Amino acid sequence: METHEQSAWSYPQSFDDLYAYLDLKDKTFWLAVFFTFWTPFFWNVICRWEYNTRIFSKAFGSPKLACFSLSLIQIISSNLRNYYIKETMEVQKQMETPFNDVLVILEYGIVAVGALLVVTSFMRLGWFGTWHGDHFGILLPEKVTGFPFSVMNHPMYDGAEIIFLGHAVGTRSIVGLLLTLWVRFIYYGTELVEGPFTEMIYAEAARKQKKSK
């Protein structure tokens, strides 16, 4: 019985063992790292450029068409990130436990929570609210305060992180946990950049509206 239990467990017991679960030569891993950084970085650069110059609104003929068209590029980038993160979890070495099936069930539950946050965020914000339409001059009529924004400030980002965490649990992936932490780090930096700038956009719009009265 003791031999059976020991053979059912497989996990790193030292830093040397840890390297077996993290293959830094894996191109998929580095693509996951890159697209996690690139996706919010690219979109914030595009949105700041648009806000300061209206270059894309002029090129596409309208702010809505510009925002919609460019958001499609962002969706592709986000899906590439998702694909490479999940693929890395699948291909790199995984831990083994006596309750692998239970972890898969737990994965479904965690992913469901994350998906709930992402979907309800999108429903509250709409397409243009989700894709920074305010940087294109497409402002929301009022601040969104309903669920899930009533319980957290950035539910769409938090939901994505929870989904990745769920996949890491289900695949018993150490590299998956590391990539989830990388996503959290990147999103934390993104929140620090986006939050104050978005508040500035609405404050400026409010000042202009007050002057026009």
Side-chain angles (χ1 to χ4, degrees):
M1 182 67 179
E2 183 180 352
T3 303
H4 173 73
E5 289 181 354
Q6 288 178 346
S7 63
W9 285 92
S10 174
Y11 58 91
Q13 301 182 43
S14 68
F15 281 109
D16 290 337
D17 292 344
L18 185 62
Y19 290 121
Y21 292 82
L22 177 59
D23 182 6
L24 296 180
K25 296 180 181 179
D26 179 16
K27 292 181 180 179
T28 305
F29 168 76
W30 290 110
L31 285 169
V33 170
F34 170 76
F35 277 106
T36 298
F37 165 77
W38 174 255
T39 300
F41 173 78
F42 166 79
W43 193 238
N44 274 280
V45 169
I46 290 296
C47 290
R48 292 290 183 96
W49 193 7
E50 163 66 17
Y51 180 80
N52 291 316
T53 66
R54 297 301 182 216
I55 183 172
F56 298 109
S57 293
K58 294 174 183 176
F60 283 91
S62 77
K64 287 188 175 181
L65 183 57
C67 183
F68 176 80
S69 301
L70 291 170
S71 68
L72 297 180
I73 300 175
Q74 186 70 349
I75 290 172
I76 293 173
S77 181
S78 297
N79 283 325
L80 285 171
R81 175 203 61 197
N82 299 346
Y83 169 78
Y84 286 121
I85 288 179
K86 284 199 66 179
E87 185 69 10
T88 302
M89 295 183 193
E90 294 288 344
V91 301
Q92 293 211 17
K93 186 175 180 180
Q94 301 171 348
M95 294 183 292
E96 295 296 335
T97 76
F99 39 85
N100 290 354
D101 292 341
V102 175
L103 292 177
V104 171
I105 296 173
L106 183 59
E107 172 188 9
Y108 292 148
I110 296 173
V111 170
V113 171
L116 175 66
L117 293 175
V118 172
V119 172
T120 52
S121 296
F122 181 82
M123 292 175 64
R124 288 289 185 184
L125 294 172
W127 187 278
F128 296 111
T130 298
W131 298 109
H132 288 12
D134 39 38
H135 290 60
F136 292 76
I138 310 167
L139 304 181
L140 294 172
E142 59 184 3
K143 185 176 181 179
V144 178
T145 57
F147 180 85
F149 293 92
S150 57
V151 296
M152 55 187 63
N153 292 325
H154 305 281
M156 188 165 286
Y157 290 160
D158 294 336
E161 295 160 15
I162 292 171
I163 289 173
F164 292 133
L165 176 61
H167 291 318
V169 169
T171 55
R172 309 173 310 282
S173 173
I174 290 180
V175 70
L177 294 175
L178 292 175
L179 286 172
T180 301
L181 288 174
W182 175 239
V183 172
R184 170 85 287 261
F185 174 77
I186 293 299
Y187 274 157
Y188 177 73
T190 302
E191 292 163 6
L192 292 178
V193 171
E194 288 181 352
F197 195 80
T198 301
E199 290 179 5
M200 182 276 293
I201 290 175
Y202 282 91
E204 183 66 22
R207 282 194 294 268
K208 289 181 180 179
Q209 185 178 21
K210 188 175 182 180
K211 285 184 179 180
S212 63
K213 289 183 179 180

